[in-house]
Amino acid sequence: MRAKLLFLFLLLYFFSEAQNDSINTLKFEKHTADAYRYIYSNQDSAYYYFNEALKLANQQKWYDSKANVLSYIIYVSDYHYNLPVLKSNLNNLEKLLKQNRDSFPAENYDGMLSHLELNKGNYYFKLEDYKRSKPIFLKLYNTLKSQTNSKENITNLSSIYSFLTSIYTSEGKYNSAINFHDKANLLLEKYPDFFEDVESRKMLLKGYMAKIYNSRKQYDKGISLLRELLQFYKQKNYTNSLITSYQALINAYTLSNNTDEALQLLSNSEKVYRKKDPFYKILLELYGDVYAKKGAHVDALHYYNQSLQAYKIYRNNSKHIDIALILHKIADIHYRSEDYEKALIIVNKAIENLTFIGDKNDSENLSIQQIFTNGNTIKILHLKSKILTKFYENSINVSYLEKALTTSLFTIKVLDEIKPTLEHKNDKQFLINNVYPIFETALNECFLLYNKTQEISYLNHAFFILEKSKSTQLLEVLNLTKAIIFNNIPQELIDKEQQLQANISKIETDIYVSKTSKEKQKELIEAREIYNNYLDSIKVTQPKYHNLKYNYEVISLDKIKSNLSKSEGKISFLYGKKHIYQFIITKNNIDFLRFENNAKFQKEVLLFYEIVSNFKNKYQNKSSYELYDKLIPDVIKNKADLTILPDGFLHYIPFEALSISPKEIDYVVNSKTISYGNSFTLQEEINQIQYNHDNANKILAVAPEFNNTNTNAVSRADFSPLIFNKREVENIARIFKTDTIIGKDAILNNIESKLKDYQILHFATHASANDEFPDFSYLAFTPNKKQSNLWYVKDIYNTKLNADLVTLSACQTGIGKLENGEGSISLARAFTFAGAKSLVKSLWKVNDKSSAEIMSTFYSELNKGSSKSKALQNAKKDYLQKSIKELKHPFFWAGFVINGNTDAIVNTNYYWLFYVILPLVLILIFKKRFSQLFK
């Protein structure tokens, strides 16, 4: 009986519990269903019902359900940009998963952790704290890419790729951004069934690509994609996506000076925003941007100040880059309105927002360790420097100018911190292009301070700034070469990096040449990923190797002066927006000058180039002399040996074709030896390189054969036959020990493997400069059906040379896209990257016959022991002396210039003969006198 009662009791108990569970389940389902209705429309209502469901799950210890509810709350707070709620619930979910691990199915637990980490990364991403978000995404990426291709893993990877695309774009690492963008696209193509809305995902990626285009100032491409996005999201009625598309398009219109379109879109978009919309602060900022662009300063300030207050509330009045950027815009308006006092106060507040939380708010005495180092920091510091300079101009108080220079020098330090984080050369160059004005600002401050005080320290600062503005990427390559020799860096480390670079280069060339399939695109993505992973591993396992690339010191002025003779002069230019700066060094003096860069000067330079590069244009002696008088200061007019470090369009000017007389044609080449360089520091690094050659003083000379006769031109830019290139090479072979590759044998395959074995390389061939895609400028070799006959710049970058001299006897080998600091992105520059100590290059489409004559004399002079610059000068003078009047036009002889190390190739030091002959002479004298003594 007792057993039966016990059985009935238990049955009633379980029935009661089951009934309660059923009731609680229904309540839970109702709360969550109510919450779903408000996810997008009313976040407060959504939170209320989800929290009711959460209480129930807590009471019943439904850990799975609790985790799901927390995930939904995280989703809602993410959608509505409610970051405090997002952070709080991320913490709650993390605590739940860690404390109740055994309560979750083992097969789901790892996925839940991955999703939690993804949301944590998203939280820091929304804070724009990329230093914390990026490592989370990269760790997840490395974990998930080796796991099974489950739906959850693939969709998580897709999200990670999207986040990394955006982060790398914000960091200016566009090469990496494009790589992750392409990886995300490939996932959509390969696993379309894993995604609920593939079309929306594709549109999201187009938005990221538009951001990359706009960040690189390719506004037409960016705007085209954003218009497509806007139409798509209007049809879908995805509010957040629609708003962000509006904002991105408005920003692109503003940056590209289409302010009327931007204002119209701003007005059209206002109806899309919700009450207390977290995106509204950006709308206010965009209004400010448009009015600032229009010069309507009062309206701009009105909107910027409203936006600033909204950002402060959103960031809980904490320091943040968002606030710094708005303050920068407000300070810039005051600067342009000439209210410098307000501008200085506000820009200092902006700088305070760039410092780490907890650091002292002293914007005057910052260290690199205290401040965020990115492009925005450079922009804000640069504005402060300009404001302080205006204070000086209005008060003539030198202390303001000293503070301005201190700020500029600190800005250059920030730039030095950023550069090592950018691995791809195009990303580095884009950064330099954006920040290049800081160098002109800093030089202006040095110029004013030196002229005011005559203190030598300002000359030293000016020289430092000039050197920092030049040839950063070439210096990295040469500095690493030197460091490897002296720091015992394993050769296999360097070899592996070069092999990976060469593989990427080959695939990119295949795609460029043949416009090939998606398979090649996939291959490129994979190759870039392997390369980037290798670089990341080096930073961890070989930090010494990574750091050696970027740690170089600027050469001292004293060292340069000590190496000069009295007949030498050196001049470095900075081609600024307002002024052309000239820094002149001689044995006994340093001079720092400038003149206005106005439309008249720019016209003079362009006209001179047009005249000398085309024999049909008559040489104008008067204007040539005026240009000479402006470019070559009086302090070095009497020097016979000049080294010129050009900048901007001056890279295209052959100074030896200027006239030194206002009355009659008297070319500079008649009285001065001219050589060119990129920077003094780079020149010193090049001079220190010593190559050991089995083939000392031996030349590899190449003269390909071209049979296409579809043109009558004899310039070397087309693929017509080169009548004199074979003779040119044969003449060189009569002077030097020369291995020649001529005619049909001069195919690319026969040449590449031999290059590193020669001290001198000579190419008498066709060439082509590609301004749109500089990496695909090329030297041409004998056409071959089995392989390409074009040697592209990007392949030359990955070649290892041991050459003291490379002569590019071809067209426009010194011409290319002009980039700030780096000069001309030309074929010649690629050979410097590859290890050539000096280059003879051409500045226009050179004439085949005159080139052959000049080159023969050039090598004859080299063989006599002349320096490279002297040999080229003598070759040009010899040509002028022998030629008829019509052929003395600079077009025929001035196109070739020498760049880099100018030391003689052949050692003509005959002092050893003195020690051999002197004893013989003494013996003869002694013998004669001895015989006379005994007569």
Side-chain angles (χ1 to χ4, degrees):
M1 184 68 180
R2 291 176 63 185
K4 189 174 182 180
L5 286 172
L6 180 61
F7 172 76
L8 288 172
F9 173 78
L10 289 171
L11 188 66
L12 288 169
Y13 172 78
F14 284 119
F15 177 76
S16 174
E17 286 297 306
Q19 214 173 15
N20 287 335
D21 278 351
S22 179
I23 292 168
N24 288 329
T25 300
L26 289 172
K27 284 183 179 178
F28 181 84
E29 288 175 353
K30 185 177 186 309
H31 289 321
T32 52
D34 288 341
Y36 293 155
R37 289 187 293 132
Y38 296 106
I39 283 178
Y40 301 106
S41 60
N42 189 325
Q43 62 172 319
D44 291 336
S45 297
Y47 294 144
Y48 172 79
Y49 288 113
F50 276 132
N51 281 321
E52 289 298 307
L54 202 58
K55 289 177 189 174
L56 202 53
N58 265 327
Q59 291 169 5
Q60 302 301 313
K61 296 184 179 180
W62 295 341
Y63 298 119
D64 239 0
S65 299
K66 185 177 179 181
N68 285 333
V69 172
L70 286 171
S71 295
Y72 273 114
I73 295 174
I74 288 166
Y75 176 80
V76 174
S77 57
D78 174 42
Y79 179 82
H80 290 281
Y81 275 69
N82 193 330
L83 299 188
V85 174
L86 176 59
K87 177 62 174 170
S88 172
N89 284 280
L90 282 170
N91 291 339
N92 291 339
L93 180 57
E94 185 171 28
K95 186 177 178 182
L96 175 70
L97 292 175
K98 285 182 177 178
Q99 291 181 350
N100 302 280
R101 177 167 187 166
D102 295 338
S103 302
F104 296 97
E107 63 272 15
N108 295 343
Y109 188 74
D110 287 341
M112 295 173 79
L113 278 180
S114 293
H115 203 67
L116 171 67
E117 288 300 303
L118 189 61
N119 279 311
K120 282 169 68 177
N122 175 38
Y123 168 74
Y124 291 120
F125 175 83
K126 281 185 164 54
L127 282 176
E128 297 178 45
D129 187 350
Y130 302 140
K131 286 188 176 180
R132 284 197 276 187
S133 63
K134 188 165 73 170
I136 292 172
F137 292 134
L138 287 173
K139 186 178 178 182
L140 275 172
Y141 162 60
N142 288 321
T143 301
L144 294 177
K145 69 179 181 179
S146 59
Q147 292 182 2
T148 57
N149 294 331
S150 66
K151 180 178 179 179
E152 186 175 20
N153 283 347
I154 294 299
T155 53
N156 282 344
L157 270 175
S158 178
S159 297
I160 290 164
Y161 293 159
S162 297
F163 280 123
L164 288 172
T165 299
S166 185
I167 289 171
Y168 282 124
T169 303
S170 298
E171 292 179 339
K173 299 176 182 177
Y174 304 115
N175 190 58
S176 296
I178 291 169
N179 202 47
F180 277 105
H181 168 273
D182 291 347
K183 287 171 75 67
N185 252 333
L186 284 176
L187 284 184
L188 290 177
E189 290 176 10
K190 193 172 182 180
Y191 304 101
D193 295 339
F194 286 2
F195 299 93
E196 292 179 8
D197 189 346
V198 174
E199 200 59 35
S200 292
R201 288 270 186 168
K202 286 181 178 178
M203 284 294 164
L204 181 68
L205 291 175
K206 285 186 178 183
Y208 286 131
M209 198 66 228
K211 184 179 178 182
I212 293 170
Y213 283 137
N214 291 332
S215 297
R216 296 172 90 168
K217 301 183 180 179
Q218 296 172 296
Y219 299 121
D220 288 347
K221 291 180 178 179
I223 287 170
S224 177
L225 285 176
L226 288 169
R227 283 173 176 162
E228 186 182 344
L229 255 70
L230 195 61
Q231 292 307 312
F232 176 81
Y233 289 127
K234 279 181 179 178
Q235 293 170 6
K236 287 283 187 178
N237 201 26
Y238 293 169
T239 306
N240 280 5
S241 298
L242 181 58
I243 289 172
T244 54
S245 297
Y246 263 122
Q247 291 180 344
L249 185 54
I250 291 162
N251 185 51
Y253 276 137
T254 306
L255 291 172
S256 58
N257 293 314
N258 293 314
T259 50
D260 290 338
E261 289 91 338
L263 270 178
Q264 185 62 52
L265 270 184
L266 278 165
S267 176
N268 293 345
S269 69
E270 284 205 50
K271 60 181 178 291
V272 183
Y273 291 83
R274 298 147 299 198
K275 188 179 180 181
K276 296 181 180 179
D277 199 306
F279 292 105
Y280 198 73
K281 61 186 179 299
I282 303 171
L283 176 80
L284 295 169
E285 182 183 358
L286 287 168
Y287 266 115
D289 290 344
V290 174
Y291 284 118
K293 201 80 168 178
K294 282 178 166 288
H297 294 165
V298 173
D299 290 331
L301 282 175
H302 169 74
Y303 283 106
Y304 280 149
N305 281 314
Q306 285 191 56
S307 180
L308 176 64
Q309 295 310 311
Y311 269 110
K312 284 182 175 180
I313 293 167
Y314 184 65
R315 299 298 182 188
N316 295 317
N317 287 308
S318 297
K319 294 178 182 180
H320 197 275
I321 186 69
D322 286 345
I323 296 170
L325 290 173
I326 290 288
L327 287 166
H328 167 262
K329 290 177 179 181
I330 294 170
D332 189 53
I333 293 292
H334 287 303
Y335 171 75
R336 287 193 270 162
S337 304
E338 299 183 4
D339 188 346
Y340 302 123
E341 287 190 14
K342 278 187 181 177
L344 185 60
I345 291 168
I346 293 168
V347 82
N348 279 332
K349 288 181 179 178
I351 293 169
E352 286 170 14
N353 273 275
L354 294 170
T355 60
F356 296 114
I357 294 171
D359 283 345
K360 293 179 181 178
N361 295 337
D362 184 2
S363 61
E364 299 295 331
N365 298 295
L366 291 172
S367 69
I368 287 292
Q369 290 72 31
Q370 290 177 297
I371 198 165
F372 288 104
T373 52
N374 57 35
N376 292 318
T377 301
I378 289 175
K379 185 165 59 177
I380 293 168
L381 289 168
H382 185 211
L383 177 60
K384 179 177 179 177
S385 186
K386 291 194 296 182
I387 294 167
L388 287 166
T389 301
K390 288 295 182 183
F391 266 89
Y392 163 75
E393 289 173 2
N394 291 341
S395 67
I396 316 301
N397 183 339
V398 174
S399 66
Y400 287 120
L401 206 51
E402 289 169 341
K403 287 178 182 178
L405 179 57
T406 299
T407 303
S408 290
L409 291 171
F410 182 72
T411 308
I412 292 170
K413 275 188 183 179
V414 173
L415 177 59
D416 284 343
E417 286 289 309
I418 297 171
K419 282 189 289 191
T421 68
L422 303 176
E423 293 292 352
H424 196 271
K425 60 181 173 41
N426 290 344
D427 295 342
K428 291 176 188 176
Q429 189 57 56
F430 189 81
L431 172 68
I432 294 296
N433 286 343
N434 272 349
V435 304
Y436 200 69
I438 69 170
F439 295 111
E440 183 175 6
T441 298
L443 276 182
N444 175 56
E445 291 153 2
C446 289
F447 183 84
L448 295 174
L449 281 165
Y450 178 66
N451 280 280
K452 183 77 174 175
T453 67
Q454 294 297 300
E455 288 184 20
I456 298 298
S457 62
Y458 297 121
L459 287 180
N460 286 320
H461 284 314
F463 178 74
F464 173 83
I465 291 159
L466 258 176
E467 285 294 287
K468 279 290 183 180
S469 75
K470 294 176 181 284
S471 298
T472 301
Q473 297 193 52
L474 284 171
L475 270 165
E476 286 174 13
V477 173
L478 289 175
N479 190 59
L480 183 58
T481 301
K482 187 181 75 171
I484 289 164
I485 296 168
F486 295 108
N487 290 276
N488 299 318
I489 301 297
Q491 185 60 43
E492 58 267 23
L493 210 65
I494 293 59
D495 291 344
K496 178 72 179 292
E497 183 173 348
Q498 289 176 342
Q499 289 161 9
L500 293 173
Q501 286 174 331
N503 186 42
I504 291 171
S505 178
K506 181 183 180 303
I507 300 167
E508 287 177 337
T509 302
D510 289 344
I511 292 170
Y512 176 80
V513 171
S514 56
K515 316 298 180 191
T516 45
S517 65
K518 290 181 179 179
E519 289 305 312
K520 275 289 177 188
Q521 293 286 354
K522 292 177 184 177
E523 195 179 332
L524 179 60
I525 292 168
E526 187 177 331
R528 284 176 175 167
E529 182 180 355
I530 292 169
Y531 176 64
N532 289 332
N533 288 343
Y534 182 70
L535 292 180
D536 289 339
S537 70
I538 283 176
K539 291 174 189 176
V540 177
T541 61
Q542 296 284 345
K544 186 178 181 182
Y545 170 75
H546 177 73
N547 293 333
L548 284 171
K549 287 184 182 181
Y550 308 102
N551 294 337
Y552 63 86
E553 292 184 4
V554 168
I555 189 174
S556 72
L557 270 172
D558 288 339
K559 187 168 184 179
I560 295 174
K561 287 179 66 178
S562 67
N563 291 331
L564 288 179
S565 68
K566 290 184 178 180
S567 65
E568 289 180 282
K570 294 180 183 290
I571 178 168
S572 180
F573 290 91
L574 185 130
Y575 197 101
K577 189 175 181 180
K578 294 182 179 179
H579 294 96
I580 307 294
Y581 289 88
Q582 300 162 299
F583 199 92
I584 306 105
I585 309 170
T586 60
K587 183 71 175 174
N588 300 317
N589 289 299
I590 297 171
D591 291 274
F592 184 28
L593 308 172
R594 76 180 185 188
F595 59 85
E596 189 180 351
N597 185 11
N598 53 28
K600 180 176 180 292
F601 170 72
Q602 292 169 23
K603 186 178 178 181
E604 287 171 355
V605 172
L606 184 60
L607 178 64
F608 178 74
Y609 181 78
E610 288 175 350
I611 288 170
V612 296
S613 63
N614 188 341
F615 66 89
K616 294 178 182 178
N617 295 326
K618 185 180 178 181
Y619 186 80
Q620 297 181 15
N621 190 70
K622 183 175 180 292
S623 61
S624 173
Y625 169 74
E626 289 171 355
L627 195 56
Y628 165 78
D629 196 44
K630 190 170 285 186
L631 291 174
I632 305 297
D634 291 342
V635 290
I636 53 170
K637 277 189 169 75
N638 64 338
K639 301 301 179 185
D641 191 348
L642 297 182
T643 302
I644 294 168
L645 276 57
D647 190 34
F649 197 78
L650 297 181
H651 278 283
Y652 292 165
I653 299 301
F655 282 65
E656 43 269 80
L658 294 166
S659 179
I660 65 172
S661 169
K663 298 178 180 178
E664 59 185 6
I665 295 175
D666 187 1
Y667 298 120
V668 168
V669 74
N670 291 325
S671 56
K672 299 183 191 303
T673 301
I674 304 282
S675 64
Y676 300 85
N678 300 83
S679 84
F680 293 119
T681 305
L682 178 65
Q683 197 66 48
E684 178 64 17
E685 295 292 335
I686 289 172
N687 291 341
Q688 288 180 19
I689 295 172
Q690 297 295 325
Y691 293 132
N692 295 318
H693 294 283
D694 294 331
N695 292 325
N697 296 343
K698 194 164 186 180
I699 299 176
L700 176 65
V702 180
E705 176 180 282
F706 303 95
N707 295 317
N708 181 5
T709 56
N710 60 2
T711 174
N712 293 321
V714 291
S715 99
R716 291 187 176 173
D718 51 65
F719 275 59
S720 60
L722 294 172
I723 301 167
F724 296 97
N725 72 331
K726 182 180 176 183
R727 183 193 301 178
E728 181 179 318
V729 163
E730 289 170 345
N731 287 342
I732 294 168
R734 293 188 188 101
I735 301 164
F736 270 90
K737 291 184 294 181
T738 304
D739 287 341
T740 62
I741 305 179
I742 296 173
K744 290 183 172 60
D745 293 328
I747 61 173
L748 192 52
N749 257 3
N750 288 350
I751 294 161
E752 283 183 294
S753 60
K754 296 179 173 66
L755 295 173
K756 67 179 186 304
D757 298 327
Y758 291 86
Q759 185 181 8
I760 305 170
L761 301 171
H762 183 96
F763 300 97
T765 185
H766 283 302
S768 178
N770 188 331
D771 282 348
E772 186 178 1
F773 302 106
D775 281 355
F776 292 100
S777 299
Y778 60 78
L779 280 180
F781 295 90
T782 301
N784 182 287
K785 291 181 180 179
K786 294 181 180 179
Q787 65 158 136
S788 170
N789 67 317
L790 306 181
W791 196 19
Y792 291 103
V793 158
K794 65 167 35 268
D795 299 318
I796 299 170
Y797 282 142
N798 296 313
T799 304
K800 180 70 181 88
L801 301 178
N802 299 308
D804 286 329
L805 171 65
V806 173
T807 301
L808 301 173
S809 183
C811 287
Q812 298 179 312
T813 52
I815 292 290
K817 184 180 180 182
L818 283 174
E819 296 283 18
N820 288 327
E822 293 295 322
S824 175
I825 309 301
S826 62
L827 276 158
R829 181 174 178 272
F831 278 96
T832 304
F833 253 93
K837 291 179 67 175
S838 61
L839 292 148
V840 173
K841 59 186 182 180
S842 59
L843 298 177
W844 52 75
K845 297 178 180 180
V846 293
N847 177 267
D848 191 27
K849 186 174 183 296
S850 62
S851 297
E853 292 176 26
I854 289 169
M855 287 302 153
S856 295
T857 313
F858 172 62
Y859 282 99
S860 180
E861 290 292 319
L862 284 178
N863 196 41
K864 294 175 184 176
S866 297
S867 69
K868 301 180 192 103
S869 52
K870 190 69 176 175
L872 189 58
Q873 180 198 18
N874 288 343
K876 291 175 178 179
K877 287 170 69 176
D878 182 73
Y879 173 83
L880 285 168
Q881 288 168 7
K882 292 177 179 178
S883 298
I884 60 173
K885 181 181 177 182
E886 289 76 13
L887 298 181
K888 289 184 179 182
H889 188 284
F891 165 78
F892 293 101
W893 58 268
F896 287 111
V897 295
I898 182 83
N899 196 93
N901 177 276
T902 60
D903 293 346
I905 293 288
V906 176
N907 186 353
T908 55
N909 185 347
Y910 297 116
Y911 289 129
W912 62 273
L913 289 174
F914 175 79
Y915 297 104
V916 173
I917 295 170
L918 180 61
L920 293 173
V921 172
L922 289 173
I923 289 169
L924 288 171
I925 293 171
F926 180 75
K927 184 179 179 182
K928 185 177 180 181
R929 289 187 178 180
F930 188 78
S931 62
Q932 288 175 346
L933 187 64
F934 286 92
K935 274 188 178 179

